[in-house]
Amino acid sequence: LATGPRQDNGIFYEIRTYDVKPSKMKEFVEVVNQHIHLRTAHSELVGFWTVELGAMNKAIHIWKYDNFAHRTAVRAALANDKDWQGKLLSLILTCVEKQHNEVAYLVPWCQLGKPPKEGGVYEWVTFQMKPGGPALWGEAFRAAINTHINTGYTKLIGVFHTEYGLLNRVHVIWWNESPDNRAAGRHKAHEDARVVAAVRESVRFLESQQNMLLVPLQCSPLK
């Protein structure tokens, strides 16, 4: 989280969160797994998950765009894609109660990672930081993330800083082999003096924090 320019290219990520009707979750997952190729024909899907713990009946997916002109062109193409509208969108809309989207950038010191193997779980942690942006809290936040990486119990996938949506919000995605491995690693981290010191410094700038355990869909590139 640099205090200067965020990045030297226009790449950004659209984070979409769907509240799915409880009775429709199975159908939603089946439709997405079967027909998501109609959507990925237009732009790159980074990951698609359902929430297992921390929230109920939610799905989160991330799309990558080269710039805002690219997203505009994709949306225009989708508006004319009858297969996507008829076989995917129309069915999804019967399953979804609410939709929410954010635009976010990867922080400059983080590249989008991949898990070492398939079959694990993802932890999605959202930090609402105090107003002022990375110039105020960026260095302390980065130090806290790095100390968790250095413990070795978890794998960092990405750190995203919002541009549209609620500002001063950071989403951090971690990967673990299982919920039990994650729990064991967290217990050890809480006893690590380096982690405790770094977290104590960063929470001075924290307003709230939420985490969720995610399970990737079969169609998800990250799984």
Side-chain angles (χ1 to χ4, degrees), residues 65-210:
Y65 294 100
D66 296 335
N67 48 48
F68 288 98
H70 179 210
R71 183 184 184 276
T72 298
V74 168
R75 302 305 297 178
L78 288 169
N80 293 308
D81 188 331
K82 302 305 179 184
D83 277 347
W84 171 74
Q85 294 175 27
K87 296 179 181 178
L88 182 59
L89 178 63
S90 61
L91 295 176
I92 283 179
L93 291 179
T94 67
C95 300
V96 172
E97 291 184 325
K98 291 193 299 183
Q99 302 179 62
H100 174 72
N101 76 330
E102 296 173 294
V103 166
Y105 293 98
L106 276 174
V107 297
W109 46 269
C110 172
Q111 294 183 346
L112 192 62
K114 292 183 178 181
K117 62 181 181 180
E118 295 184 2
V121 294
Y122 292 78
E123 183 179 11
W124 183 292
V125 190
T126 298
F127 300 89
Q128 185 61 47
M129 308 302 290
K130 292 183 178 180
L136 175 66
W137 41 259
E139 291 184 7
F141 189 88
R142 180 179 182 178
I145 294 296
N146 283 338
T147 57
H148 281 87
I149 294 172
N150 292 336
T151 62
Y153 81 89
T154 188
K155 164 71 174 177
L156 180 66
I157 300 299
V159 181
F160 300 87
H161 180 215
T162 56
E163 180 74 5
Y164 286 99
L166 191 58
L167 297 182
N168 296 293
R169 174 178 282 191
V170 184
H171 300 291
V172 183
I173 307 176
W174 303 94
W175 178 90
N176 289 278
E177 289 190 14
S178 71
D180 287 321
N181 284 342
R182 183 262 180 195
R186 290 281 289 178
H187 289 314
K188 290 181 180 179
H190 290 161
E191 298 173 354
D192 189 317
R194 298 167 301 171
V195 175
V196 172
V199 170
R200 183 179 292 120
E201 175 66 18
S202 67
V203 296
R204 296 192 299 114
F205 308 104
L206 181 66
E207 291 194 338
S208 65
Q209 178 179 341
Q210 179 187 16

